[in-house]
Amino acid sequence: MTQEDVHFVDKSDETEVGEVSVDFAAPTLSKPGLLVMDVDSTLIDEEVIDELGEAAGKGEEISEVTERAMRGELEFCDALRARIALLKGLPVSVFDTVHDKLHFTNGALELIDTLHAHGWKVGVVSGGFHEVVDRLAAEGNIDFWIANRLEVEDGKLTGQVLGEIVCKTVKLHALRAWAERLGVPMSQTVAVGDGANDIPMIQAAGLGLAFCAKPKTQLAADEAINTRDLRLVLDYLR
């Protein structure tokens, strides 16, 4: 497994996959591939920054900004900086508390195991934080991941982000960079997410899936899954 810092198809044929009608040439499990997914509200049920906000006594303020960002009403980077500023003074031990409240989405681990059994790799791209995502990646047997890193002084959060923020462009670059590294054509990639900042990678992948997503994201995706079960992703793979 690799922790990453990233800086930097023809869909005309109709294919029937089980009971799902797919109107493009879907990626296939018979060849190596790459699935990349968002973390908050996709890989896991929760939004980590909302959990941190509750710990800081700023839950309502942070949730409101989160919702606006997910709907595409605010630029993600601006919204993230505003929310992180509200976390100033929290002890780093809060990440242990938050981690213990998180739940992998129904079917997430089964999806990862099935993809690995077919020679695929799995990456996650998170607008959340390494302090949590590193642990989720280890627990979920995930191959690649990126997330934001928070500045800490004297064991407390300063309210600042270190380095480049994982925004929609960074997520897109990660998908392409990992596919290139693996020698996997983009037609053999799948991107799964729920927010506006997932749209570029969803549109670039061979198969882009909106997962219990905001309306704007559903409109941008090839297909939408509106039941919280990540095993349903497999229905779209030939």
Side-chain angles (χ1 to χ4, degrees):
M1 296 186 293
T2 305
Q3 173 181 321
E4 296 286 343
D5 290 305
V6 175
H7 302 292
F8 41 73
V9 173
D10 181 359
K11 299 185 178 181
S12 59
D13 296 332
E14 182 167 342
T15 306
E16 294 289 335
V17 183
E19 296 181 356
V20 176
S21 177
V22 183
D23 62 356
F24 53 84
T28 175
L29 290 175
S30 65
K31 298 177 183 178
L34 169 68
L35 180 140
V36 174
M37 72 179 108
D38 179 40
V39 174
D40 296 285
S41 297
T42 301
L43 175 69
I44 60 174
D45 287 324
E46 296 80 12
E47 288 280 334
V48 169
I49 195 153
D50 289 350
E51 297 293 332
L52 290 170
E54 290 293 333
K58 304 283 187 178
E60 255 184 57
E61 295 169 64
I62 286 180
S63 292
E64 182 182 344
V65 179
T66 298
E67 279 300 307
R68 292 184 64 196
M70 293 294 285
R71 292 194 299 266
E73 296 172 8
L74 286 176
E75 281 296 325
F76 178 79
C77 292
D78 293 338
L80 185 68
R81 289 190 184 97
R83 289 175 291 179
I84 290 172
L86 293 169
L87 304 178
K88 183 177 180 180
L90 275 181
V92 291
S93 59
V94 73
F95 290 109
D96 294 327
T97 304
V98 167
H99 170 267
D100 292 343
K101 292 182 177 180
L102 304 180
H103 304 86
F104 282 104
T105 297
N106 184 36
L109 299 181
E110 293 89 339
L111 170 64
I112 294 166
D113 287 346
T114 300
L115 292 173
H116 282 157
H118 286 85
W120 279 53
K121 298 293 184 183
V122 178
V124 296
V125 285
S126 178
F129 313 110
H130 269 294
E131 292 83 355
V132 172
V133 175
D134 290 354
R135 294 168 69 172
L136 293 173
E139 293 161 355
N141 195 25
I142 288 162
D143 302 290
F144 308 105
W145 66 98
I146 56 170
N148 294 304
R149 196 174 297 281
L150 298 180
E151 184 179 61
V152 176
E153 288 182 2
D154 300 323
K156 295 182 178 181
L157 302 183
T158 68
Q160 302 292 321
V161 188
L162 291 173
E164 184 178 22
I165 288 177
V166 178
C167 62
K168 60 186 179 182
T169 304
V170 174
K171 289 186 173 189
L172 172 61
H173 288 175
L175 168 68
R176 288 175 170 163
W178 293 337
E180 183 177 0
R181 178 185 303 182
L182 294 167
V184 169
M186 290 300 291
S187 60
Q188 273 292 105
T189 64
V190 178
V192 185
D194 70 304
N197 66 328
D198 298 315
I199 289 175
M201 72 170 184
I202 283 173
Q203 292 182 323
L207 170 63
L209 296 175
F211 183 75
C212 298
K214 303 300 180 186
K216 185 175 180 180
T217 308
Q218 295 206 29
L219 288 172
D222 295 309
E223 299 287 344
I225 296 172
N226 290 308
T227 300
R228 289 202 66 80
D229 187 344
L230 279 169
R231 284 168 295 201
L232 296 175
V233 171
L234 297 169
D235 291 345
Y236 294 91
L237 304 179
R238 293 178 291 129

